[in-house]
Amino acid sequence: MNEPVPDMIPGRVPHRQAPWYRALAVIAAVLIALMIGVTCIDVIGRYLMNRPFGGAYELTQILLAALVFVALPLTTADGGHVEVDLALHLFPKPVQRLMGRLAGWVSALALGYFAWRLALIGLDQWHEGTRSASLMLPMAPLAFLAAASCAVSAIILLLPRKETP
Amino acid sequence: EELVMSSWLPPKHPIVVNAFKPWAEEVEKVTEGRVTVRIMGKPLGSPPAHFDMARDGVADITYGLHSFTEDDRFNRARLGQFSFLGDDAIANSKAYWAIYGGQMDAAGEHQGTHLLGLFMHGPGLLYNNKRKIGAVADLQGLKLRVPGGYGGDLVGALGATPLFMSSPEVYEKLSRGVIDGVAFTYEAITAFNLTDHLKYAMTVPGGVYNTTWFLVVNEDKWNSLSEADRTAIDAISGAAFAERVGKAWNDADAAARAEIGDRIAFDEASPEVVAALRATAGKLEQKWAEGLGEGHDGLAALAEFRKATGVAPE
Amino acid sequence: MITSLIAFAILLGMVFVRVPIAFAMAIVGGIGFALLRGWAPAGAMVGNAVFETGLNYSLSVVPLFIFMGNVLAGSGIAQGLFSAADRVFGRMRGGLAMATILSCGGFSAVCGSSLATAATMSKVAMPSMRRFGYSDSLATGAIAAGGTLGILIPPSVVLIIFGLLTEADIGKLFLAGIIPGIVGIIGYLLAVMAAVRLKPELAPEVGEVVPMTRQDAISVVAVLALFAFIMIGIYGGLFTPIEAAGMGAFAALVIAALTGGLTRAALWGAFLDSATASAMIFAIIIGAEIFSNFVTFAGLPDSLSMIVEDLGLSAWTVLLLIVLIYLVLGCFLESLSMILLTVPVFYPVIANLDFGLAVLADPDAVLIWFGIIVVVVTEISLITPPIGMNVFVLRSVLPDVALGTIFRGVYVFWVADIVRLAVIIFVPVLSLWLVS
Ligand code: NA
Ligand code: NA
């Protein structure tokens, strides 16, 4: 792992102050809070008022997907994906740097491909009017969000990243 | 030619063992070994993805429920999901193949694939662990897991609280008292280990609800087979497969009933409850038929279906 | 079989030149699938895997169990737990290292992840151990090993993922993890004692003994209360193990508010860290799903089952071979990917075996027991070089300690783990006693 694991001290890594990063982080925090809230309303509702919240299952699914895809660019910018650099120290510094860039490009390719496929899924669902089974929420926007998230993450990986000594 | 079949039911599930596997072996036999079917031990995607997987060629052959997703593409398929349709999975499946596969143009709703089978399983029941349902009022406030769509509308209209979740989640929620009951078939009760967590079951002639399934093969792959092989496979699919899979469901239901024994009290719904169900079901059927648009008479198809299975209301 | 092995080799090659493991699995799996099946089907499969993993209800525990642990860590409860544990062992040589083990075990009872447990405890325990002159190797080894308990002692994200892969009862898996977890704590404590007996220079003579403070007591009570809340909630029928994550996170916030230790910055950090850790974990799950679809298509699970059948090996031989494969894979594979890639392949093999023990007569019991074995070998993989995730976590939290130093400190715990693994394999009742 080349960069510190996401630390609990906010703002320690400079990019964490960037407006886009902070905006996505706030959305992610709200989504987590909503997930907690949905479970609590469901569980407490069914015991205290005998009124379970019928859509809890689906809402949790959708909030979770939204959270994962909102957080993906954050993790990517943090360099937080699990990677191993054990073989790298065998090579001279410039080679190491080149391999790091290469690994970034390869990953960006994968994420770019994800983005494209997710966009196709979104279009498919848009045309077929796919909705969730009980709340009847349209699913296409979620697929487009996922596509955008992967695309942004791919771009982040294409940009040169700072090396820690 | 090897056709790869993605299967999401457990490998030992009765319809995998008694319908899909024998059918796959039969395919090899009737094509004299030119076409084989490999059933994979692990699915290549989630159950709801299985129609698209065949259409997109992720696997060659897939099966699944039409009600997995809520969208506009399997509207006419709901023909087989209403109440009071039939108690015999063979008769149901054959009627479904004949009517939905016939005048209701099932092929038009399964584009990108070739239909190998359309089928239904045994009648759905309403189970709970609180009380015997003698009157509509007994449903009041019961928290029931239902399959999405029709089942939810139906029990909701009768005063119960419909909840939606995946089938494996039912055990967790039922055993912890999170829900009071579930709309399931006989077979599902034993398959998901629910016998000890339920006490009462309400049967309704022709089923409280029913489920419809498809068995499809990717269209390009299908067309790549020789005409002789296609004819041979079609001959053991369709109506013949409806018979085979219907028998597998019937046997599974019978085995489940024997295993449950008297640990769950099965009672036929009272005339009052049946009448209330009929009233609500009638409205939902009407709404569905109106939504089909020109060219398809849903109510006539339903009447024909009930005639074919012998549960036509008097 | 050969195809799958080549794919594994390419995967390892990509990982060693620093391609994140999630993307390496996705790329090898996606391209492999395309070569067998065509590009359009591969594209559809990949798209599905990405989209549907995000919508997997059971995985909602990932962000929420991590958040629960983060909130408690941020409110100083981990610190209190460590100080309290220190009072227990204060007079013994190596007492702080033993306190680290005990408080790791305690924190595991309210944290679902091993990495989060190790990261939290390293911030709490490392400064004290350094101040009192503990060797870096023993100190970091104790934290890395103690942290692995996070996935064995319930709640556990890994046990839930195992349940998801095998449809085993998650409530039973949680119960099954408790006794092996306690055995693990005892084993690690003995390992510390053995280490300081063999090499007294690892730890100073005798630490000072300080009485328990109010804050320590509150922390212990808070952890016990939260653990009890989760367990009573699950087994008293108030909520399911999946819902326990949301309820536990809520309860953790309440506890943090009551004890007043959680600053706004720490709360924000808990949110952010849970979100980014979740995206990291989901990327791995997606990559593993794609890779595993390819391996399934290539026929690996089928040929493996056939080989086992053809060889006619006894159930115990098969199990020991599988454990051996895990120990070897555990060196090279990241732990979560290892579970995601292997469990679908191995559990059908295990489910069909007859172990000839009354306690294992029920196939469900076999599955639960196998789940615990898988978690223990996964714990071992977390601290086995060259790829030991817990060691990497420590390395990144403590950049001034060399990887080699940590791995040197870990080996006594590794020995303890192997002994524990043998005990859990040959005494299935340890895992099954609370379940039945
Ligand atoms: Na834990
Ligand atoms: Na390892």
Side-chain angles (χ1 to χ4, degrees), chain C residues 107-113 149-156:
Chain C
F107 196 70
S108 293
V110 290
C111 179
S113 138
L149 295 168
I151 55 170
L152 182 58
I153 297 173
S156 158

Side-chain angles (χ1 to χ4, degrees), chain C residues 363-431:
Chain C
D364 286 345
V366 175
L367 206 51
I368 303 277
W369 171 60
F370 182 58
I372 299 302
I373 294 174
V374 167
V375 169
V376 173
V377 290
T378 305
E379 287 187 85
I380 297 175
S381 84
L382 286 168
I383 54 172
T384 312
I387 302 182
M389 291 305 299
N390 265 23
V391 175
F392 291 170
V393 166
L394 281 186
R395 170 85 176 83
S396 57
V397 179
L398 310 163
D400 54 326
V401 184
L403 264 186
T405 309
I406 309 179
F407 278 124
R408 214 165 39 244
V410 147
Y411 87 96
V412 286
F413 300 101
W414 196 87
V415 172
D417 269 342
I418 296 293
V419 174
R420 170 165 58 125
L421 178 62
V423 169
I424 284 167
I425 290 175
F426 293 113
V427 192
V429 73
L430 278 181
S431 312

Side-chain angles (χ1 to χ4, degrees), chain C residues 246-316:
Chain C
M247 296 305 289
F250 178 70
L253 284 172
V254 171
I255 287 173
L258 290 178
T259 57
L262 188 66
T263 62
R264 272 187 63 173
L267 178 64
W268 171 244
F271 273 117
L272 185 56
D273 189 45
S274 312
T276 52
S278 301
M280 179 266 272
I281 290 173
F282 272 77
I284 290 175
I285 296 176
I286 289 167
E289 173 77 13
I290 294 170
F291 189 79
S292 134
N293 279 343
F294 156 66
V295 169
T296 309
F297 202 91
L300 180 64
D302 297 343
S303 34
L304 212 62
S305 291
M306 265 181 329
I307 290 172
V308 168
E309 225 164 83
D310 289 351
L311 291 178
L313 302 171
S314 81
W316 291 97

Side-chain angles (χ1 to χ4, degrees), chain B residues 38 42 46 57 60 173 176, chain C residues 37 52 234 237 243 292 297:
Chain B
R38 171 160 72 108
K42 178 181 169 285
S46 71
D60 298 315
K173 299 240 172 176
R176 292 171 211 296
Chain C
R37 191 90 200 132
E52 292 188 337
I234 293 178
E243 291 168 339
S292 134
F297 202 91

